[in-house]
Amino acid sequence: MRNITPSLLLVFCIILGLVSGMFSSKSVILSSIEIFKTHEWLSPQPVIYFHCQGENKIILPDVKEKNFVYKFKGIESWQPIAGFPDKKCKRCGLYELDRLKSDDVFDEWELCPDEFLEGNYVHYKQKEFNATFACTECMTRVE
Ligand SMILES: *[C@@H]1O[C@H](CO)[C@@H](O)[C@H](O)[C@H]1NC(C)=O
């Protein structure tokens, strides 16, 4: 087909890219986490979970001990921990299940795709926790 010019092909590729971009969500992985305290005095095994507003709670089944760095490969059954469908930030937090009162909050913050410098983002809160997240698709392009 002689009629397909390179520029037409380019336009086609751009449209294809836009369409696939509309449906793909950028995955966020929890790479490591260390908690510095637990909030429940009565329970020896804390239940720690990550939650973004309007989404499901993601329980971190392995995170039980404080002052221990848990590292993850990104392919654990509960990963990815979050996703960004667009450029908007999400209100997320780290919590501990409380059987008697409302759940304890380690921290709540805006998780933003543009804060993943070189695909990584660290969220540290003194005396609470230190978590590193990865999102390779969030990488800010240097143009
Ligand atoms: C947080 O964790 C990361 C990865 O383990 C580590 O490189 C960094 O030094 C830690 N930051 C603090 C303040 O503990």
Side-chain angles (χ1 to χ4, degrees), residues 32 34 36 69 71 122 124 130-132:
S32 78
E34 177 178 6
F36 303 123
V69 181
K71 290 192 191 286
V122 181
Y124 169 73
N130 176 18
T132 57

Side-chain angles (χ1 to χ4, degrees), residues 50 90-93 107-111 121 123 129 133:
F50 178 86
K90 283 186 171 184
R91 186 93 194 147
C92 303
D107 197 12
E108 252 173 18
W109 74 97
E110 293 279 323
L111 187 67
Y121 166 74
H123 193 87
F129 72 99
F133 298 87

Side-chain angles (χ1 to χ4, degrees), residues 12-31:
F12 178 73
C13 286
I14 289 169
I15 290 169
L16 199 72
L18 286 177
V19 170
S20 69
M22 267 191 273
F23 295 106
S24 74
S25 174
K26 302 180 184 87
S27 308
V28 177
I29 280 159
L30 178 69
S31 335

Side-chain angles (χ1 to χ4, degrees), residues 40-43 97-104:
E40 276 278 78
W41 296 102
L42 300 172
S43 166
L97 209 68
D98 192 312
R99 285 167 302 170
L100 304 175
K101 305 174 273 121
S102 56
D103 292 353
D104 304 293

